Amino acid sequence: MRFGDERESSNFEDATGRSGMGFGGGGGNPLGCLIPLVASRFGIGGVIVLVIGYFLLSSLGGLGGGGGGGNVGPSTQQNAPAGKSTLDPNTKRFMLQVLASTEDVWSQQLGGRYTPTTLVAYSRAYQSGCGAAQSAMGPFYCPTDKKIYLDTEFSDELSRRFQAPGDFAQAYVIAHEVGHHVQDLQGGLDEAHNAQAQASESEGNAIQVKVELQADCYAGVWAANAKDPQGQPVMEQGDLEEGVRAAEAIGDDTLQKESQGVVVPDSFTHGTSAQRMEALQRGYRSGDPNVCKF
Ligand SMILES: [Zn+2]
């Protein structure tokens, strides 16, 4: 992708220097001052559904007593380098330019009826409006606080695990989550949740696949319409193929084959690699969100 001096979005929270504790990990990390803050939110209890594609059921119980222990004292709190970002400046700039571009494109596509989402970058673990966020979950969109949570190690992980390096692959991840925000604004997420409430597990998964493929299609719509300040497309030769390779690498069948050795279609929640590639390409070729309807 060709990004130069494009606008950077201000709808951003850098939590990379404040996250990582309270979930049993982070040994040696002196950021324990955040535990009380995080723990105080655990009174809600119960089970919260996250739109992370897997509809991961995340119980909030049992997290309150997280690590750190005796290290958490007033002096530690004062000395802890809380808030010190661990985010690479180039990564941050690229993410915020992509985010700003999604704001421009969706404002235009939705005729000004677009309210931006906020991107929260965190490291390892953080508390989202939908419960505990952990890097193992991958990036996700939380409809409760209307924010995207992105573990900054995810793009490294993407290139390491899936051989899908490159900037469009990373932009696609953000654009996919913004796609969920668009669904949310249009009532599509609520509709899907309601339909799932009355569906069997496999029917519920099928609904989830549709939601995910639509978000992929929306990512393609964004890419097709992303322009630089001079009105030139930011997508370059080979970019879409790069996104398609990422889509292929993170299809449910591919992931399941890697992890279980077998494919169980009923449990698919994101779609197969072929479906994800098709959805991304469909959105990209047309540039019109109407082709993403399901
Ligand atoms: Zn998704």
Side-chain angles (χ1 to χ4, degrees):
M1 305 197 77
R2 207 169 30 76
F3 274 107
D5 55 355
E6 276 81 0
R7 176 175 82 84
E8 293 177 41
S9 173
S10 55
N11 298 303
F12 176 65
E13 291 172 23
D14 184 353
T16 57
R18 305 193 285 134
S19 45
M21 286 294 283
F23 302 93
N29 187 329
L31 303 181
C33 55
L34 281 173
I35 289 174
L37 182 85
V38 171
S40 69
R41 299 193 191 169
F42 288 149
I44 321 157
V47 172
I48 292 181
V49 178
L50 299 179
V51 181
I52 59 166
Y54 293 93
F55 267 22
L56 186 137
L57 294 174
S58 170
S59 166
L60 291 181
L63 290 169
N71 292 335
V72 187
S75 62
T76 307
Q77 286 185 31
Q78 279 164 10
N79 294 335
K84 190 168 185 296
S85 175
T86 59
L87 196 57
D88 173 71
N90 291 326
T91 305
K92 178 180 168 185
R93 184 155 175 265
F94 178 69
M95 284 185 348
L96 296 186
Q97 287 181 326
V98 169
L99 187 62
S101 175
T102 64
E103 291 163 2
D104 296 343
V105 166
W106 285 111
S107 296
Q108 192 189 35
Q109 292 295 324
L110 302 181
R113 297 185 311 277
Y114 182 71
T115 43
T117 173
T118 296
L119 180 67
V120 182
Y122 73 97
S123 176
R124 293 203 299 280
Y126 196 59
Q127 186 67 7
S128 83
C130 291
Q134 285 180 285
S135 50
M137 291 157 52
F140 66 94
Y141 173 72
C142 170
T144 309
D145 60 14
K146 313 237 176 282
K147 293 177 181 178
I148 292 168
Y149 289 84
L150 186 72
D151 184 289
T152 50
E153 287 155 40
F154 182 79
S155 34
D156 297 347
E157 184 71 14
L158 194 69
S159 23
R160 232 185 357 253
R161 268 188 71 192
F162 304 125
Q163 288 91 48
D167 51 7
F168 181 66
Q170 291 166 29
Y172 160 57
V173 168
I174 294 173
H176 170 97
E177 300 307 333
V178 171
H180 285 313
H181 178 62
V182 171
Q183 292 171 324
D184 191 16
L185 293 178
Q186 295 183 319
L189 288 186
D190 281 344
E191 260 172 51
H193 286 166
N194 293 339
Q196 280 182 321
Q198 293 154 27
S200 69
E201 193 182 337
S202 63
E203 287 167 349
N205 285 343
I207 294 167
Q208 179 63 16
V209 168
K210 285 182 181 169
V211 168
E212 293 305 329
L213 293 177
Q214 187 177 54
D216 283 336
C217 184
Y218 282 163
V221 169
W222 162 72
N225 290 289
K227 304 264 169 44
D228 71 10
Q230 287 74 44
Q232 297 303 310
V234 297
M235 290 288 279
E236 293 174 299
Q237 192 81 31
D239 275 340
L240 188 74
E241 289 72 17
E242 197 176 87
V244 164
R245 272 198 301 278
E248 184 182 14
I250 57 183
D252 283 335
D253 51 348
T254 306
L255 289 182
Q256 284 196 357
K257 262 187 227 154
E258 269 175 20
S259 61
Q260 307 172 0
V262 281
V263 176
V264 190
D266 264 5
S267 67
F268 285 178
T269 50
H270 267 84
T272 63
S273 294
Q275 285 175 314
R276 299 201 71 172
M277 288 191 285
E278 188 280 322
L280 176 65
Q281 283 172 319
R282 177 157 34 97
Y284 184 71
R285 273 195 226 105
S286 126
D288 177 357
N290 288 316
V291 303
C292 304
K293 284 202 173 110
F294 55 76

